[in-house]
Amino acid sequence: MFVMSNVLQGTATVLDTVLWLYMWVIIARALISWVNPDPWNPIVQFLERATEPVLTPIRRLVGWRMGMDLSPMIAILILVFLQYAVVQSLRDIAVRMH
């Protein structure tokens, strides 16, 4: 059982890191949107390609409120929820299996 516990612990750690990095990608995208970025810049293109699959459905649901795009903030809240709910649950299961 300790092998499965270690696998779950490793999965939780990797998932936590991926969610944390993606949160920073969304923050970078939001900060870049405040200026007039060069659309041909490879960094701007990467940020748009990496975040649009998540932000577009949120924009469709929420829309623009008070002239602001709230989708990055909502996406970050969802990522934080996933970190607390899913990652912590995986870690708790791993501890109980050990």
Side-chain angles (χ1 to χ4, degrees):
M1 285 307 261
F2 72 91
V3 174
M4 191 60 179
S5 172
N6 290 341
V7 168
L8 282 176
Q9 184 67 31
T11 303
T13 302
V14 169
L15 183 61
D16 189 36
T17 303
V18 167
L19 291 173
W20 181 80
L21 286 173
Y22 195 68
M23 180 176 62
W24 283 104
V25 169
I26 290 174
I27 290 170
R29 166 72 191 272
L31 291 175
I32 291 280
S33 73
W34 292 351
V35 297
N36 190 9
D38 176 20
W40 301 108
N41 186 321
I43 295 172
V44 173
Q45 289 179 354
F46 166 75
L47 291 174
E48 286 183 8
R49 281 194 311 265
T51 58
E52 277 307 309
V54 172
L55 297 179
T56 300
I58 296 172
R59 268 191 215 112
R60 268 191 242 125
L61 288 174
V62 176
W64 288 72
R65 302 285 184 228
M66 300 173 289
M68 291 178 53
D69 182 14
L70 299 177
S71 61
M73 187 175 5
I74 293 169
I76 290 171
L77 290 173
I78 292 170
L79 290 174
V80 169
F81 171 78
L82 289 174
Q83 282 179 314
Y84 280 105
V86 176
V87 171
Q88 194 58 43
S89 295
L90 286 174
R91 286 190 176 134
D92 290 343
I93 293 169
V95 167
R96 289 190 181 124
M97 290 177 82
H98 209 261

